[in-house]
Amino acid sequence: MKICRLRSLLSLAKCNSQTFPSTTAARTFSSTNHHLQNVGFIGLGNMGSRMANNLIKAGFNLTVHDKNNDALEMFSQMGVPTKKTPYEVSEASDVVITMLPSSAHVIDVYTGPNGLLHGGKLIRPWLLIDSSTIDPQTSRNLSATISNYILKEKKGNIEMPVKLDAPVSGSIIAAEAGTLTFMVGGSEEAFIAAKPLFLSMGKSTIYCGGAGSGSAAKICNNLALAVSMLGISEALALGQSLGVSASTLTNIFNCSSARCWSSDAYNPVPGLMEGVPSSKDYNGGFASKLMAKDLNLAVESAKLAGCKYPLTSQAQKIYTELCNGGHDSKDFSCAFRHFYAGMDEPLDK
């Protein structure tokens, strides 16, 4: 039974002997992958709407749902079928992707009234992909629940649905450009089969291990991101106070051992870099409230794992303070201005 299932999953993607680089050819959907053709997408926020749009561009047939009627109307005007409930999306799809704000939202969409699993122990989609950033245990629990379901219609020799946790790294800009990175946990065979979907929305996809591993990797990634952003912001603000400009320090950082994404690609000092949130009054990007949420997940995960987490704890306190101070919707790089009182520094041209 397991051998048949493995062969079926591999044949669905026809990718057992090839890789999927980030190229136009790889992103073009092949009609032979018919068990990936009909995709449901639930969660059309800043990230989800752009991810869904890229799937449409790649040639997938989408059906969508969101609680926000304005978001649904936008897709309806594009000719995309919209549904009133997650269950209706499930009934129209071979694959369902969710991109939601929190663990509670994911649980509700899967198991709540009219959720994806509403129809008893039978379900139509053979593949369920959750790209939300949630705690690993919730991901594992949902995967275990779904393993007890049976497909309404067999997909080749596959009789049971499969779930992947596949959170992403990348900003709204990356979601728009289709350059996200997917961190994927669950069945490796399902991961391989789903690559055409991932690489229609992103530039890379990394297999992390069993169920919940993708969620765990995302939490660790965002923990490191928060700490590095706070470290760069603290150093730049201190430098300004000591009479060294942020532009000078940035030049030093970016050609020395302090170089990191927060300094050379997402600098927090207003005026130093074009196209990033700090140049737009910290609008757009990754909201501080979302970083605070992810740090809460990291703290809880560290407690459960029995790990020390002093930097996580301090970062959590800083972003909680920023949110309580009314900066919850501002990009997380706003810590430079609103926590460290760093100064704008227009770059000479």
Side-chain angles (χ1 to χ4, degrees):
M1 179 64 136
K2 290 184 177 179
I3 293 174
C4 290
R5 192 175 184 212
L6 168 58
R7 288 174 177 167
S8 299
L9 285 167
L10 291 173
S11 66
L12 287 177
K14 300 187 75 176
C15 59
N16 53 320
S17 62
Q18 61 180 317
T19 57
F20 289 85
S22 180
T23 65
T24 302
R27 292 167 186 266
T28 302
F29 185 77
S30 170
S31 61
T32 59
N33 292 323
H34 55 280
H35 291 305
L36 294 176
Q37 182 70 57
N38 299 311
V39 179
F41 204 105
I42 299 173
L44 303 172
N46 288 331
M47 297 291 288
S49 61
R50 290 163 171 82
M51 293 164 66
N53 218 21
N54 283 327
L55 287 170
I56 295 169
K57 292 176 183 177
F60 294 93
N61 299 326
L62 250 64
T63 300
V64 300
H65 168 73
D66 195 281
K67 288 186 175 181
N68 185 332
N69 288 329
D70 291 338
L72 287 181
E73 180 62 25
M74 180 180 70
F75 278 86
S76 179
Q77 290 179 2
M78 295 165 55
V80 177
T82 63
K83 300 295 182 181
K84 294 181 179 179
T85 67
Y87 181 69
E88 291 177 12
V89 172
S90 174
E91 287 294 281
S93 307
D94 298 314
V95 179
V96 175
I97 301 171
T98 49
M99 185 63 167
L100 302 163
S102 69
S103 299
H105 290 92
V106 173
I107 291 170
D108 184 60
V109 162
Y110 272 83
T111 66
N114 296 310
L116 294 172
L117 305 180
H118 177 69
K121 288 294 182 180
L122 297 175
I123 187 171
R124 181 182 170 187
W126 73 272
L127 179 60
L128 299 147
I129 300 172
D130 181 37
S131 288
S132 316
T133 299
I134 64 174
D135 65 279
Q137 192 56 49
T138 294
S139 291
R140 295 188 189 102
N141 291 344
L142 285 173
S143 292
T145 298
I146 290 164
S147 69
N148 294 317
Y149 279 68
I150 298 173
L151 294 180
K152 288 185 176 181
E153 299 177 9
K154 290 175 64 176
K155 310 294 183 183
N157 290 326
I158 303 172
E159 298 180 357
M160 296 169 56
V162 185
K163 178 184 172 293
L164 296 173
D165 46 285
V168 302
S169 176
S171 63
I172 293 172
I173 297 170
E176 181 89 37
T179 57
L180 296 169
T181 293
F182 285 85
M183 295 157 271
V184 186
S187 159
E188 188 170 8
E189 294 78 27
F191 161 74
I192 294 170
K195 274 191 173 182
L197 291 167
F198 294 135
L199 293 176
S200 293
M201 300 178 284
K203 66 178 180 180
S204 61
T205 176
I206 300 169
Y207 181 67
C208 301
S213 297
S215 296
K218 175 60 187 291
I219 289 172
C220 294
N221 181 81
N222 278 23
L223 158 60
L225 176 61
V227 171
S228 68
M229 177 59 75
L230 293 175
I232 287 294
S233 296
E234 188 168 314
L236 291 171
L238 174 61
Q240 287 181 331
S241 298
L242 297 175
V244 183
S245 70
S247 60
T248 297
L249 280 176
T250 295
N251 288 335
I252 293 170
F253 292 169
N254 291 345
C255 64
S256 68
S257 56
R259 183 179 185 180
C260 65
W261 187 80
S262 296
S263 68
D264 72 357
Y266 211 79
N267 198 283
V269 181
L272 287 196
M273 186 175 291
E274 295 181 354
V276 296
S278 62
S279 69
K280 298 177 284 189
D281 196 28
Y282 298 106
N283 292 316
F286 187 63
S288 292
K289 62 184 176 183
L290 297 179
M291 181 57 84
K293 182 207 80 171
D294 291 354
L295 289 167
N296 290 339
L297 293 175
V299 166
E300 291 307 311
S301 295
K303 288 179 180 178
L304 287 172
C307 292
K308 295 179 180 180
Y309 54 96
L311 297 181
T312 310
S313 179
Q314 188 60 38
Q316 178 193 38
K317 291 176 183 177
I318 290 172
Y319 279 103
T320 298
E321 182 177 327
L322 285 169
C323 291
N324 292 339
H327 309 298
D328 53 310
S329 295
K330 295 293 187 179
D331 180 74
F332 78 107
S333 62
C334 77
F336 172 78
R337 175 190 285 172
H338 297 300
F339 183 81
Y340 291 107
M343 297 175 286
D344 296 11
E345 202 169 287
L347 187 64
D348 293 333
K349 295 185 178 180

